[in-house]
Amino acid sequence: MSAPTAHCVADAAGTVTFELTGAHQVPGSTAELLLRRRGGGTPADEVRLPLTARRAVLDRGTPLAEGRWDVLHVTGPGARDGRPVRPGTRDVRALVDRVPGSGPVAVRVPYPTADGRLALRCWVRAPHAEAGALHLADGSMTVRGVLYGAEPGHGATAEARWCGSPRAGGTAPRTHRVPVTAGAGGAFAFTLPYAALAEPPVSERRLWDLWLLPAPGAPAVRLARILDDIWDRERVHVYPAHRADGWLAAPRYSGDNNLRVCLDPAD
C-alpha cells in the first residue's frame, strides 16, 4: 500500500494545514496525523491531529518543541505505528519576510526529507536575534539584524565562541567580543574581523558560533536566520572566503540555520 501524500499550507502565525490524498481508511475507523519529534522520548514529543474529511490542522497554539518532527499517518485510537507521509505541494509563501508578534518566536516549516518523507522544522526562541544582510570586506564581516523579545542597549556586544580542539589533549574554549551598534525597533549591527579568530597556527577547521549580548550581564542570544521558508541554509547560503596567511575564513549557516564563522587551513 503506497504512502499517502499531504499538501500543506503554512501561515505566518504558525498554523499548518494538511490535506491528505491517497490515504486508505477502513469505514468506521478513526485516523490521525501523528507528529513525532526526532530524538524525543517524552509524551510532549508526540502530537496527534485528528483527520476530518482528510484534513488536519496544526493550530498555532499547539506547542511544538524546537527540532525536526516527522509526519505519520495512523489509524485506530492510540496507534503509534504509522506510515510516513509523502510531501505534496507546500504553500509557504506567508513565511517569507515575516515579522513575528509578541512572545516567543515560533517558526514551523514543512519540508521534504532526503528520503522523500514529509517533516516539520520547528524553532522556538525567546528572545531571538534574526541575522539579516551580511557585508564582507577588508577581512571582516558586518552583520545587520533585528532582536525580537529584547532590546539591544548601551554596552551590547556580539560574541564569537569556539569550543576548542579535541586534538593533542584539547584546546580550551575561546571567545571574542566586538561592540554592537543598536538602532530603533531592535535593530543591531556589528563588524567582526576574521583575524581576531585566527590565532596561529590554524591547523584544522574552527567553527565560531555567533551570539548577541543585548546588555552587559544579559543572557546571550544565538544569531540565526529563521524567519522565512528555508529549513536548512547550510548548503543554500554560501559566502566567499577571505584568504589570509595560512587560513581561509567565511561566514556560514549551520544545518539549524545558526550563523557562524568557519576557519580552515589555507592548504
Side-chain angles (χ1 to χ4, degrees):
M1 187 181 300
S2 62
T5 297
H7 306 287
C8 304
V9 178
D11 70 16
T15 295
V16 182
T17 302
F18 304 88
E19 296 280 354
L20 258 66
T21 61
H24 176 75
Q25 184 174 343
V26 177
S29 66
T30 60
E32 299 172 311
L33 284 186
L34 173 62
L35 308 182
R36 180 177 291 158
R37 190 166 73 97
R38 295 180 202 168
T42 70
D45 294 317
E46 289 191 355
V47 172
R48 293 176 180 271
L49 307 177
L51 273 168
T52 304
R54 304 188 185 279
R55 184 174 185 266
V57 178
L58 171 63
D59 186 80
R60 63 181 181 180
T62 302
L64 291 183
E66 183 162 325
R68 298 178 185 270
W69 293 72
D70 293 313
V71 181
L72 304 172
H73 179 247
V74 298
T75 56
R80 299 192 75 254
D81 295 327
R83 289 183 296 158
V85 175
R86 294 183 300 188
T89 58
R90 294 173 295 110
D91 186 349
V92 292
R93 291 171 293 176
L95 304 181
V96 179
D97 296 329
R98 61 174 288 224
V99 177
S102 60
V105 174
V107 178
R108 298 164 178 181
V109 183
Y111 73 96
T113 65
D115 56 357
R117 295 175 291 113
L118 178 64
L120 289 177
R121 181 62 176 96
C122 301
W123 288 270
V124 183
R125 302 202 172 176
H128 166 59
E130 176 77 359
L134 305 184
H135 179 68
L136 312 180
D138 301 325
S140 66
M141 60 182 290
T142 297
V143 181
R144 300 185 184 277
V146 179
L147 179 63
Y148 297 97
E151 284 287 335
H154 179 72
T157 56
E159 183 174 89
R161 299 178 180 177
W162 175 44
C163 66
S165 171
R167 296 184 181 181
T171 300
R174 300 178 187 175
T175 62
H176 178 74
R177 291 185 179 180
V178 294
V180 164
T181 301
F188 65 85
F190 64 87
T191 298
L192 177 63
Y194 296 137
L197 313 180
E199 181 179 331
V202 179
S203 58
E204 59 183 316
R205 171 163 289 186
R206 300 179 185 177
L207 294 174
W208 291 80
D209 294 327
L210 300 183
W211 300 74
L212 183 70
L213 285 72
V221 182
R222 189 73 171 88
L223 265 79
R225 189 167 180 178
I226 59 177
L227 295 178
D228 56 23
D229 61 339
I230 300 177
W231 63 91
D232 184 346
R233 317 189 91 86
E234 188 170 17
R235 294 175 178 82
V236 175
H237 285 202
V238 179
Y239 296 93
H242 169 74
R243 179 179 291 271
D245 185 15
W247 50 270
L248 300 168
R252 66 182 298 174
Y253 285 96
S254 72
D256 292 323
N257 288 7
N258 294 322
L259 184 59
R260 55 182 26 165
V261 176
C262 178
L263 265 71
D264 282 306
D267 57 355

